[in-house]
Amino acid sequence: MDRNTLEAIIRHILAEKFGNSFQSTVQRPELIVSISARHIHLTDEDVETLFGKGRRLTKMKDLYQDGFFAAEETVMLIGPRKRMLPSVRILGPTRKASQVELSFTDAISLGLDPPVRESGQLSGSPGCVLVGPAGVVELKEGVIRAERHVHMGPSDAAFYGVKDKERMKLRIEASGCSTTFENVLVRIGEGIKLEVHLDTDEGNAVDLEHATKIELFK
């Protein structure tokens, strides 16, 4: 166990013993709230089908979480009503199963009714067609609306007193549209930075860009 995690656990124990008077003196970890716009995760096989034999994703820019990136590559996404999104960004690295994450508004425009799911939980979800410069991939399933969630490391989890897969609340205050989001899924991992992901609809509804105060709590 690293020093930061141990210190966070000790702070949490003391906060439970002595109450809010102690917790208020503890420096909160930096909280980032990001809008996760529509995007696609692909398998190595589907990358080659869409972009050509031997092709790998090309990094365009790093994301906030270490090791994750937005790729240069985009594909066309076609829904069951033959409506399409012409250029959907791919995120890397590649995964074991291809997955499309859309907002509710995106899904309506495409004629899809995807379930709200944790990333990777694809069973029973609808599919779509992906069109790249070298080929076409027809996904039988894999389109979801990613449920709002917070990534955090063990020390952050100790600070907030939460465990993996538990639920939290996120309060965002902005002029005229302050909102509390409930059922924020907790996802804990080693080397992970504290970051909440909302989809485009959620972020726009609360005017996240002009938020004056953000609070994460149980």
Side-chain angles (χ1 to χ4, degrees), residues 79-116:
R81 293 180 181 174
K82 307 304 180 184
R83 297 179 181 176
M84 59 89 173
L85 296 172
S87 183
V88 183
R89 183 73 53 193
I90 299 169
L91 300 187
T94 53
R95 295 190 175 187
K96 294 181 179 180
S98 291
Q99 172 179 307
V100 177
E101 297 182 32
L102 301 175
S103 69
F104 191 35
T105 300
D106 289 332
I108 291 174
S109 69
L110 292 167
L112 292 166
D113 185 22
V116 178

Side-chain angles (χ1 to χ4, degrees), residues 7-19 22-23 158:
E7 289 179 350
I9 292 172
I10 293 172
R11 288 197 298 268
H12 176 63
I13 293 172
L14 292 174
E16 286 191 334
K17 181 175 180 62
F18 297 108
F22 176 85
Q23 186 70 16

Side-chain angles (χ1 to χ4, degrees), residues 176-204:
C177 52
S178 296
T179 300
T180 298
F181 291 106
E182 298 188 353
N183 297 317
V184 179
L185 177 67
V186 175
R187 297 174 59 183
I188 301 171
E190 293 288 346
I192 300 299
K193 301 175 185 176
L194 182 61
E195 181 186 23
V196 173
H197 280 172
L198 303 176
D199 72 17
T200 305
D201 290 345
E202 293 167 329
N204 289 341

Side-chain angles (χ1 to χ4, degrees), residues 5-177:
T5 301
L6 181 60
E7 289 179 350
I9 292 172
I10 293 172
R11 288 197 298 268
H12 176 63
I13 293 172
L14 292 174
E16 286 191 334
K17 181 175 180 62
F18 297 108
N20 293 332
S21 60
F22 176 85
Q23 186 70 16
S24 63
T25 67
V26 178
Q27 183 178 359
R28 288 181 172 272
E30 181 183 9
L31 173 62
I32 299 296
V33 179
S34 302
I35 292 179
S36 183
R38 69 174 79 110
H39 61 270
I40 298 172
H41 302 280
L42 292 175
T43 63
D44 288 328
E45 180 182 4
D46 287 347
V47 169
E48 291 196 346
T49 299
L50 292 165
F51 298 101
K53 188 70 174 177
R55 281 289 303 272
R56 295 292 182 264
L57 295 178
T58 306
K59 183 190 296 185
M60 180 180 71
K61 66 176 182 179
D62 289 315
L63 300 179
Y64 184 65
Q65 298 295 336
D66 294 337
F68 295 85
F69 61 91
E72 294 279 1
E73 291 79 11
T74 64
V75 296
M76 179 186 295
L77 191 158
I78 302 175
R81 293 180 181 174
K82 307 304 180 184
R83 297 179 181 176
M84 59 89 173
L85 296 172
S87 183
V88 183
R89 183 73 53 193
I90 299 169
L91 300 187
T94 53
R95 295 190 175 187
K96 294 181 179 180
S98 291
Q99 172 179 307
V100 177
E101 297 182 32
L102 301 175
S103 69
F104 191 35
T105 300
D106 289 332
I108 291 174
S109 69
L110 292 167
L112 292 166
D113 185 22
V116 178
R117 294 277 182 82
E118 179 183 359
S119 180
Q121 303 300 314
L122 308 179
S123 179
S125 62
C128 66
V129 174
L130 305 178
V131 181
V136 175
V137 169
E138 182 178 359
L139 297 180
K140 299 301 183 182
E141 62 181 15
V143 182
I144 63 170
R145 290 174 57 202
E147 63 178 315
R148 62 185 74 107
H149 57 277
V150 55
H151 296 282
M152 62 175 67
S155 62
D156 301 317
F159 175 87
Y160 286 107
V162 295
K163 297 179 181 179
D164 193 48
K165 308 303 183 185
E166 288 189 341
R167 303 282 172 164
M168 301 186 72
K169 297 179 182 179
L170 179 72
R171 174 73 178 172
I172 299 177
E173 296 184 9
S175 179
C177 52

